[in-house]
């Protein structure tokens, strides 16, 4: 009783005064500490029990496996797994369920599935652990497949927890139709008004953009609790409908519920305006939530998105001793987002003098700053720091280094780092493929792509941007169209504007301007200014005035003040000898107050940053 009521100290007092203790006594006190996140004490008690000569049973093992999950200690979990096998309780459901839940918690999905398949008689708890584990660990398709398999089993019926996991899987896939079918099924099983399933259902509809359905699902909940209110509020905030989220927040308070830190974090997910964010910030100060470092860190991110850096710095100063490593990373990210790269390096020096040292996230932010400046010298210094701090084995850091080297033009350094990686992921491959394509090594980029596929790494949309760019650089038109047509069929990658821009660039480089224009007009979405500028630049090379005018019209509809469009068309007229049209264009530019943006170069000279402006080309 004391353990379940959150008072393990009182439970221990009773336990210590017991004259005789049996297995139930030891298991109860271990469970009390486990339930209250006191895992170290639970482990100590377990070994005291063993030294006293009492052997554990399946209840004890179940608690200890949950302790391993709480400590995030996979090696200790494997040791207890071995102990379960050696004991006589390896076939007990409680131990089996705890093992499956532990392995899914550690993202050891393959191990969990092996155990799951070996269990002959599976109960609802076991199915729920497996479906929930797959949904939480980024395997939504597999979770839904297992859910479907469970429905075909005689005598088994999904409960509200399993439906909640299934709705979460649909949210990850953004599959509105799948979720609607599951919604109907939950009603048939009598769970239409359940709080737990209703929370996930409402959140699912909100994430899929069906806000009316999200609200209706919430209304169907018979007795919504604080968790349900938090879910619907966060769902609207996630969908960027902040007005609806604020209304839910107000209704929740009028219903008698006191918001907690989860409520505030949900509200701050995506404030659309600075005013709304400041309203939440005022409430945070009034209620004392400004002492919660997680909320302060989220406020830092919010101000970085909605305001200038001055408010970010002001809040960071107010936090004083309440800052943590996440706070430092949030401020550094804000500086990078606002292109204040020098502030990144300045704050990094202050961070070194604090109690917090850079982690892999910090290093990636600093590498982003080096990439922004194309500063190979600074990037090399960060690389040395990475090697000294032992962070070179982190895949995130390795990918950041590759990206930095490629953006600084050091392809050989990027390739050497890539070759030294034990298990490069799709980001590693894509960064190198895109870099080789951008620097004109199209054949090498395509070779890397084929090697990547032969090793079983699944490409993503960025990979195909690099592949199509490589084809464009070397003029492989048929091969580019083959990749463009098959990337959705082979890997489920729907073509984006970036892919279409590569095809337009490919056709334009080949001089096939009519085909490029036809391709633009047949795209499933409206072309942006970059696509039209790509065509217009090719028209300047090919001296095609007719298509050039239409490309300029497409640009000006999106950006009437675009100086590039006017200048490029003016150049086309000049190349074709149409000097009257050149004069007309210059007059038009003056009347619209359109001026060519002067070129700017950045260099380092004796450790000083110098910006050189090309004043000769301003007019």
């Amino acid at each position: 009783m004391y353990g379940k009521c959150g008072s393990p100290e009182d439970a221990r007092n009773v336990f210590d005064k017991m004259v005789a203790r049996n297995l139930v006594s030891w298991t109860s006190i271990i469970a009390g500490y486990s339930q209250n996140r006191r895992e170290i004490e639970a482990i100590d008690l377990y070994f005291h029990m063993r030294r006293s000569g009492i052997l554990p049973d399946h209840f004890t093992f179940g608690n200890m496996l949950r302790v391993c999950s709480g400590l995030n200690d996979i090696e200790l979990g494997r040791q207890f797994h071995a102990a379960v096998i050696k004991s006589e309780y390896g076939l007990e459901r409680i131990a089996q369920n705890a093992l499956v839940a532990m392995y899914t918690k550690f993202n050891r999905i393959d191990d969990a599935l092996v155990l799951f398949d070996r269990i002959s008689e599976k109960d609802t708890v076991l199915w729920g652990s497996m479906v929930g584990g797959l949904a939480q660990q980024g395997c939504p398709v597999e979770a839904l497949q297992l859910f479907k398999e469970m429905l075909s089993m005689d005598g088994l019926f999904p409960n509200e927890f399993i439906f909640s996991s299934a709705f979460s899987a649909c949210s990850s896939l953004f599959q509105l139709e799948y979720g609607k079918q599951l919604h109907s099924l939950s009603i048939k099983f009598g769970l239409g008004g359940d709080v737990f399933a209703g929370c996930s259902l409402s959140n699912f509809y909100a994430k899929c953009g069906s806000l009316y359905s999200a609200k209706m699902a919430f209304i169907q909940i018979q007795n919504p609790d604080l968790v349900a209110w938090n879910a619907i509020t966060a769902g609207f905030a996630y969908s960027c409908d902040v007005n609806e989220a604020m209304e839910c927040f107000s209704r929740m308070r009028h219903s008698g519920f006191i918001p907690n830190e989860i409520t505030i974090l949900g509200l701050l997910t995506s404030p659309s305006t600075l005013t709304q964010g400041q309203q939440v910030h005022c409430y945070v100060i009034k209620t004392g939530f400004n002492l919660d470092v997680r909320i302060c860190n989220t406020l830092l991110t919010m101000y970085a998105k909605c305001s200038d850096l001055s408010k970010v710095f002001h809040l960071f100063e107010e936090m004083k001793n309440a800052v943590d490593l996440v706070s430092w990373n949030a401020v550094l990210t804000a500086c990078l987002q606002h292109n204040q790269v020098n502030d990144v390096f300045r704050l990094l020096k202050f961070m070194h003098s604090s109690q917090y040292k850079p982690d892999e996230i910090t290093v990636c932010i600093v590498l982003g700053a080096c990439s922004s400046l194309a500063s190979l010298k600074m990037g090399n210094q960060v690389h040395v720091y990475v090697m000294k701090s032992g962070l070179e084995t982190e895949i995130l850091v390795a990918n950041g280094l590759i990206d930095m080297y490629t953006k600084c033009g050091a392809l050989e350094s990027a390739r050497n780092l890539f070759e030294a990686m034990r298990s490069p992921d799709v980001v590693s491959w894509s960064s190198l493929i895109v870099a080789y394509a951008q620097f004109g090594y199209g054949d090498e980029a395509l070779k890397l792509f084929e090697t990547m596929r032969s090793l079983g790494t699944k490409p993503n949309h960025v990979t195909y941007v690099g592949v199509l760019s490589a084809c464009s650089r070397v003029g492989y038109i048929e091969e580019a169209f083959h990749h463009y047509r098959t990337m959705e069929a082979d890997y489920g990658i729907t073509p984006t504007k970036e892919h279409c821009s590569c095809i337009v660039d490919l056709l334009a480089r080949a001089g096939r301007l009519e085909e490029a224009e036809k391709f633009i007009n047949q795209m499933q979405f409206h072309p942006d200014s970059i696509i039209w500028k790509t065509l217009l630049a090719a028209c300047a090379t090919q001296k095609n005035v007719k298509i050039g005018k239409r490309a300029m019209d497409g640009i000006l509809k999106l950006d009437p003040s675009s100086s590039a469009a006017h200048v490029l068309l003016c150049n086309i007229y000049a190349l074709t000898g149409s000097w009257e049209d050149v004069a007309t264009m210059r007059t038009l530019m003056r009347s619209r107050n359109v001026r060519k943006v002067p070129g700017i170069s950045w260099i380092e000279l004796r450790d000083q940053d110098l910006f050189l402006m090309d004043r000769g080309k301003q007019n």
Side-chain angles (χ1 to χ4, degrees):
M1 181 274 295
Y2 278 125
K4 289 183 178 179
C5 290
S7 183
E9 290 81 7
D10 290 325
R12 184 62 182 268
N13 288 335
V14 175
F15 178 81
D16 289 340
K17 292 176 182 179
M18 293 176 68
V19 178
R21 305 177 186 124
N22 60 9
L23 178 59
V24 177
S25 316
W26 283 101
T27 302
S28 296
I29 189 65
I30 289 171
Y33 278 95
S34 172
Q35 292 162 357
N36 289 280
R37 304 303 302 272
R38 304 275 286 273
E39 288 88 357
I40 300 299
E41 291 94 330
I43 292 174
D44 289 338
L45 284 165
Y46 174 82
F47 286 112
H48 279 303
M49 181 190 77
R50 292 302 305 270
R51 283 194 291 269
S52 66
I54 296 178
L55 296 176
D57 65 357
H58 51 293
F59 294 104
T60 318
F61 280 127
N63 282 295
M64 293 312 300
L65 291 168
R66 281 188 286 273
V67 165
C68 297
S69 298
L71 289 173
N72 201 26
D73 192 336
I74 181 62
E75 293 305 320
L76 185 62
R78 288 190 180 279
Q79 292 178 37
F80 274 106
H81 187 179
V84 171
I85 295 173
K86 291 179 181 179
S87 71
E88 58 184 286
Y89 301 105
L91 299 178
E92 292 288 343
R93 284 187 179 180
I94 291 177
Q96 291 175 334
N97 291 348
L99 281 167
V100 170
M102 179 192 72
Y103 280 119
T104 56
K105 170 69 165 53
F106 289 134
N107 198 18
R108 300 296 182 96
I109 299 299
D110 292 339
D111 292 332
L113 285 171
V114 169
L115 280 171
F116 182 81
D117 292 336
R118 288 177 179 174
I119 299 173
S120 56
E121 296 183 6
K122 304 177 180 69
D123 60 5
T124 304
V125 175
L126 184 61
W127 283 96
S129 296
M130 200 66 242
V131 173
L134 288 168
Q136 292 169 6
Q137 299 299 338
C139 304
V141 175
E142 292 80 358
L144 292 175
Q145 288 173 343
L146 201 65
F147 177 82
K148 183 179 179 181
E149 183 181 341
M150 179 189 177
L151 294 176
S152 64
M153 305 297 292
D154 294 331
L156 284 177
F157 304 99
N159 57 22
E160 64 273 23
F161 305 107
I162 299 177
F163 269 109
S164 175
S165 299
F167 288 136
S168 297
C170 292
S171 298
S172 300
L173 294 171
F174 295 98
Q175 286 291 345
L176 185 60
E177 290 304 316
Y178 291 174
K180 286 181 177 180
Q181 294 176 30
L182 290 175
H183 186 183
S184 300
L185 196 61
S186 68
I187 294 173
K188 291 180 180 179
F189 279 103
L191 299 172
D194 181 80
V195 175
F196 199 85
C199 286
S200 296
L201 177 63
S202 179
N203 189 260
F204 151 73
Y205 276 126
K207 285 187 175 181
C208 290
S210 184
L211 301 183
Y212 176 79
S213 298
K215 186 183 292 187
M216 291 298 101
F218 178 78
I219 292 173
Q220 295 299 317
I221 299 176
Q222 295 175 358
N223 295 300
D225 56 8
L226 181 59
V227 176
W229 280 105
N230 286 347
I232 186 66
T233 303
F236 282 120
Y238 180 87
S239 301
C240 297
D241 193 340
V242 184
N243 291 329
E244 194 69 45
M246 297 291 284
E247 182 181 339
C248 284
F249 176 68
S250 178
R251 287 170 51 205
M252 176 184 69
R253 294 173 61 199
H254 287 304
S255 299
F257 291 96
I258 300 175
N260 59 10
E261 65 275 8
I262 305 299
T263 318
I264 307 301
L265 291 172
L267 271 178
L268 291 171
T269 300
S270 179
S272 58
T273 65
L274 178 61
T275 302
Q276 290 166 323
Q278 287 176 325
Q279 290 175 3
V280 179
H281 191 182
C282 289
Y283 178 82
V284 165
I285 295 173
K286 289 180 181 178
T287 52
F289 280 117
N290 57 322
L291 301 177
D292 190 313
V293 68
R294 294 178 302 169
I295 291 177
C296 289
N297 291 339
T298 308
L299 283 168
L300 286 173
T301 304
M302 181 274 294
Y303 278 121
K305 291 180 180 178
C306 300
S307 181
D308 55 29
L309 276 179
S310 60
K311 293 187 180 295
V312 178
F313 290 143
H314 180 70
L315 178 60
F316 186 70
E317 289 292 332
E318 284 185 342
M319 293 171 67
K320 295 182 179 179
N321 296 328
V323 299
D324 60 4
L325 184 57
V326 178
S327 313
W328 282 101
N329 288 341
V331 175
L332 289 169
T333 302
C335 293
L336 190 59
Q337 288 174 345
H338 287 267
N339 296 319
Q340 299 299 318
V341 181
N342 289 329
D343 284 331
V344 174
F345 299 118
R346 179 178 60 84
L347 283 170
L348 187 64
K349 293 180 180 179
F350 287 116
M351 183 180 179
H352 268 289
S353 62
S354 72
Q355 60 178 315
Y356 298 102
K357 302 306 174 187
D359 63 353
E360 61 272 17
I361 305 297
T362 318
V363 170
C364 288
I365 297 169
V366 177
L367 287 172
C370 297
S371 300
S372 177
L373 291 177
S375 177
L376 184 58
K377 179 181 177 181
M378 187 64 71
N380 285 330
Q381 293 180 27
V382 177
H383 193 175
V384 171
Y385 173 81
V386 165
M387 295 175 67
K388 289 183 177 180
S389 58
L391 293 172
E392 71 272 11
T393 58
E394 295 289 340
I395 187 71
L396 191 66
V397 174
N399 288 339
L401 285 167
I402 291 174
D403 182 68
M404 180 274 296
Y405 278 125
T406 56
K407 288 182 178 177
C408 292
L411 283 181
E412 185 177 355
S413 297
R415 184 62 180 264
N416 291 337
L417 186 61
F418 176 83
E419 297 290 348
M421 294 176 67
R422 293 182 179 179
S423 301
D425 61 4
V426 63
V427 177
S428 319
W429 286 98
S430 300
S431 297
L432 206 57
I433 290 171
V434 170
Y436 273 109
Q438 289 177 341
F439 282 93
Y441 299 101
D443 288 322
E444 187 63 31
L446 295 174
K447 287 179 183 177
L448 277 171
F449 176 65
E450 293 304 323
T451 304
M452 169 187 170
R453 292 203 298 182
S454 66
L455 293 175
T457 303
K458 183 180 178 181
N460 59 16
H461 71 284
V462 177
T463 318
Y464 271 101
V465 170
V467 170
L468 295 175
S469 297
C471 292
S472 176
R473 293 294 193 277
V474 292
Y476 294 161
I477 297 177
E478 296 302 323
E479 185 172 351
F481 273 99
H482 170 74
H483 289 304
Y484 180 81
R485 288 190 294 264
T486 59
M487 65 181 184
E488 185 169 10
D490 292 346
Y491 299 104
I493 301 172
T494 304
T496 64
K497 288 184 179 180
E498 289 79 10
H499 300 124
C500 293
S501 181
C502 292
I503 294 296
V504 172
D505 182 62
L506 171 80
L507 294 171
R509 284 174 180 266
R512 296 158 67 165
L513 301 180
E514 292 80 5
E515 293 181 50
E517 185 181 21
K518 183 179 179 181
F519 180 85
I520 293 174
N521 293 328
Q522 291 178 348
M523 291 192 310
Q524 295 180 351
F525 36 72
H526 294 293
D528 57 13
S529 60
I530 295 176
I531 292 178
W532 285 118
K533 286 177 183 177
T534 301
L535 181 62
L536 183 58
C539 291
T541 305
Q542 301 292 326
K543 303 178 182 180
N544 192 315
V545 178
K546 186 177 180 181
I547 297 179
K549 286 182 178 179
R550 291 197 291 266
M552 179 184 172
D553 291 338
I555 298 171
L556 295 182
K557 287 179 182 178
L558 301 171
D559 184 10
S561 61
S562 172
S563 61
H566 291 83
V567 171
L568 281 171
L569 188 59
C570 191
N571 290 342
I572 295 174
Y573 286 137
L575 290 170
T576 55
S578 304
W579 299 110
E580 293 183 2
D581 292 325
V582 171
T584 302
M585 281 298 301
R586 291 187 179 275
T587 303
L588 183 63
M589 289 175 66
R590 283 192 292 270
S591 66
R592 295 178 177 178
N593 198 26
V594 175
R595 292 188 177 184
K596 182 180 182 297
V597 179
I600 297 176
S601 301
W602 176 88
I603 63 171
E604 287 184 23
L605 182 61
R606 297 190 183 94
D607 296 327
Q608 296 292 321
D609 298 341
L610 297 178
F611 290 90
L612 305 179
M613 181 177 291
D614 187 357
R615 300 185 181 276
K617 295 183 179 180
Q618 287 189 61
N619 298 318

